[in-house]
Amino acid sequence: MSPGWPLWEVFVRARRGVSHVHFGSVHAADNETALQAARDLFTRRQEGKSIWVVRSTDVVASDPDDEGELFDPASGKDYRLPTDYRLPPEVDHM
Amino acid sequence: MLMTATPVRNTSLLTHVLRHGDRALVLAQRLGEWIAHSPELEEDMALANISLDLLGQARVLYTYAAEIEDLGHDEDHYAYWRDPEQFRNPLIVEQPNGDFAHTIARQFLHDVYAVAHWEAMRSSSDETLAALATRAAKETSFHLRHSRGWLVRLGDGTDESHRRMQAALDAMWPFTSELAALDDEAQLRAAGVVTDGGVRASFDVAVASAIAEATLTAPAPVMVATSSGGWNGAHSGYLTNLLDELQVLARTHPGASW
Amino acid sequence: MIRNQEQFDAVIKADQRIESDDWMPDDYRKTLIRQIAQHAHSEIIGMQPEGAWITRAPSLRRKSILTAKVQDEAGHGLYLYGATETLGPDRSELLDLLHTKKQKYSSIFNYPSPTWADVGAIGWLVDGAAIMNQVPLCRCSYGPYGRAMVRICKEESFHQRQGFQIMLTLAEGTNEQKAMAQEALNRWWWPSIMMFGPPDTESVHNARNMAWGIKRYTNDELRQTFIDASVPQAELLGLTVPDPDLVWNEERAHYDFGEPDWDEFTRMVRGEGEMPAERIRTRLEAHNEGAWVREAAEAYAAKQQRDAA
């Protein structure tokens, strides 16, 4: 039995000025037909102006087990935020 | 734009408009038969998309025909209340779906012609046709991308798909004789309404290149018919059966609204 | 981060979402795979009763509308197979389960669609009932399913509106058209009521699915809401709901209604009779006759990759 058409993740950019957003997935045998399938499935109501398709196997995902070491260290560093700085009112608009 | 011209020219314009409206409607109907039956769900989406685009083109053309005829008709009159001998589509679009390869062969050959036709018609002196051409050229380009893509994939896929694609191409080939500029549109051409010069030449080049890429064998050349069967109302039993199904419900309830 | 039952329970309790890379109980995963896949199967089998009318649609506008609607249903199937695939199985495995009847589709699609009015009734009542089931699913605890449902719900509204518009046009039309509409309502009313499933007293998985945030309202709650909404719609159409026990209950502020034929429901769910066989046969034919096409695309892609390497 044949392996079937591989899975592709689809990203669509709605319009100028916004970024591509993950919309879902399609099955297709190659790049070109994946793009066409994504266009037919996800943009019938003028949802987008640009499509990216990526083979699902090419997506590199962070390991959920690494969540602690990847993302927890970012907390407790409020000195990155403008609100951490008290200034005289006359210059507080900075 | 309605031509204030001699009755002969008006008849020609009406005929031209109906030829392309019928071409689009009959092909849309054939594609509608595939829905829920195609080889993959993504293909149901694609064929439905093509059918919807063609229906849209037919509706614009039939609405324009109604304006030209000025007898109080609407788009549905042309689709539901004419008999087969009044239809003016080329024979290729009324050919049955057959297997997927036959559908692709029919679609590919049609799309090459239609893209060339609509691209050329963007320069039409007729505002309605030129405006439609701008939209239809884009739609048909995407259809061609799909049908050419399948021609190549089936031709250069497996032994079975190659065999089927060759058989389908051979079966549809005779009907390419009609996909050319027609002599009886000379006056419309002179008036700049029909701007289809070069359509057949570009058709031949595009088809040859796709066939080669698909590793298929080009069938023997056909005599190009410059005045022809389907475009003039001479149809096969296939169109009768197709129209029977298309029209049955509307004709069972004359005068009803839907 | 969800790596165990305790963390999973906390996220569910906080009404937050489970995502595809989270740990989840086996039962939760299995239940979702079955529910989402069967929802997908329903969409694609559901293409058949209305798809059959595309070639006979009585106006070009209706033909376009119906083609777009059935195309949407294929699309919904695709969104839902995609959501199921985030839980592990491949689409081909899921289709296999449908083809071998190990997974089901909604038995509402085991009813025939003999007239154009059935297209209207299906849009108005079947899609109407589906919308009622589906809106709460947009808040389903499983992220990919909820997000697919949001997309589906946006598209589904036109489905119900076009169906109702068909019924309205028929009800205001010729005597034959009015009769066609009434007969279709007669055929589809009870099956639509039963789409919400058996009474709460007999529903096996209700409690657990509600605890997991997969189900938000009970079968009876949804059924009552649907009837309360649909009866005035039927009145607007000037059609008669085929339930002699239907009556407004002032005290409850809801409609009282008759007892559905749960035996028929069971027979339909079991897939007894000719129509279920035909639905699967049609699906299988498309799948089997399409095999050489799918294989050709794979073979071509493989050649291209070899040549590129």
Side-chain angles (χ1 to χ4, degrees), chain A residues 1-7 23 25-27 29-30 40-45 47 55 61-68, chain C residues 1-3 21-22 68 71-72 74-75 78-79 82 85 90-92 151 155 158-159 293-295 297-298 300-301 305:
Chain A
M1 185 176 149
S2 69
W5 295 352
L7 192 64
F23 264 37
S25 56
V26 292
H27 281 274
D30 59 48
D40 280 339
L41 183 57
F42 291 115
T43 68
R44 278 168 289 138
R45 288 168 169 87
E47 293 95 325
R55 271 180 206 266
S62 59
D63 187 333
D65 284 334
D66 296 342
E67 191 181 306
Chain C
M1 175 174 80
I2 304 181
R3 303 328 276 157
D21 56 5
D22 285 327
Q71 184 191 40
D72 271 358
L78 286 169
Y79 303 151
E85 287 179 296
D90 185 68
R91 190 201 297 176
S92 58
R151 220 189 146 78
E155 298 179 356
F158 119 69
H159 296 186
V293 176
R294 297 190 298 271
E295 281 156 22
E298 285 164 50
Y300 178 82
Q305 286 188 316

Side-chain angles (χ1 to χ4, degrees), chain B residues 3-241:
Chain B
M3 308 216 29
T4 51
T6 67
V8 170
R9 267 167 120 193
N10 273 346
T11 303
S12 292
L13 178 63
L14 178 65
T15 302
H16 173 87
V17 168
L18 287 177
R19 281 172 170 163
H20 293 281
D22 292 341
R23 171 176 64 74
L25 176 69
V26 172
L27 187 52
Q29 178 78 355
R30 281 294 184 222
L31 293 174
E33 294 167 21
W34 271 107
I35 294 169
H37 302 281
S38 61
E40 185 54 273
L41 286 171
E42 280 84 357
E43 205 46 40
D44 274 327
M45 303 297 296
L47 296 176
N49 167 67
I50 300 170
S51 183
L52 283 168
D53 284 344
L54 290 169
L55 277 174
Q57 291 168 22
R59 293 175 71 187
V60 169
L61 288 162
Y62 288 151
T63 301
Y64 189 31
E67 192 189 313
I68 295 167
E69 259 203 310
D70 199 19
L71 294 172
H73 293 320
D74 63 7
E75 64 189 18
D76 288 332
H77 165 81
Y78 297 97
Y80 294 93
W81 296 98
R82 288 185 302 147
D83 294 329
E85 63 275 10
Q86 294 172 286
F87 273 69
R88 296 279 175 272
N89 53 281
L91 294 173
I92 195 167
V93 295
E94 70 197 49
Q95 302 311 304
N97 287 334
D99 68 0
F100 191 68
H102 279 74
T103 288
I104 290 301
R106 180 188 64 204
Q107 193 67 40
F108 166 71
L109 295 167
H110 166 272
D111 291 342
V112 175
Y113 164 78
V115 168
H117 172 82
W118 287 123
E119 283 293 348
M121 287 295 284
R122 293 171 73 168
S123 332
S124 171
S125 59
D126 181 303
E127 275 171 24
T128 305
L129 294 177
L132 175 59
T134 303
R135 186 190 172 92
K138 291 179 205 170
E139 291 172 346
T140 322
S141 288
F142 189 79
H143 304 170
L144 178 59
R145 189 194 283 229
H146 169 268
S147 58
R148 189 188 192 283
W150 273 117
L151 183 91
V152 169
R153 281 159 181 75
L154 296 180
D156 193 16
T158 61
D159 287 342
E160 178 176 7
S161 72
H162 180 92
R163 184 177 48 78
R164 286 180 184 250
M165 194 64 246
Q166 185 68 61
L169 187 63
D170 292 342
M172 290 296 160
W173 197 251
F175 303 107
T176 60
S177 65
E178 290 192 300
L179 300 177
L182 302 174
D183 280 350
D184 68 1
E185 297 195 334
Q187 271 191 320
L188 291 174
R189 217 167 276 123
V193 170
V194 168
T195 47
D196 59 0
V199 161
R200 183 68 194 200
S202 83
F203 174 89
D204 289 335
V205 167
V207 167
S209 122
I211 287 177
E213 193 181 325
T215 72
L216 295 165
T217 307
V222 288
M223 279 290 295
V224 174
T226 54
S227 84
S228 139
W231 296 113
N232 288 324
H235 296 283
S236 65
Y238 290 136
L239 185 67
T240 306
N241 293 341

Side-chain angles (χ1 to χ4, degrees), chain C residues 270-291:
Chain C
R270 284 209 192 112
E272 292 172 13
E274 179 47 35
M275 190 54 68
E278 191 184 310
R279 296 287 182 235
I280 294 290
R281 207 165 39 231
T282 303
R283 164 89 285 269
L284 266 173
E285 223 173 73
H287 184 77
N288 293 336
E289 288 184 9

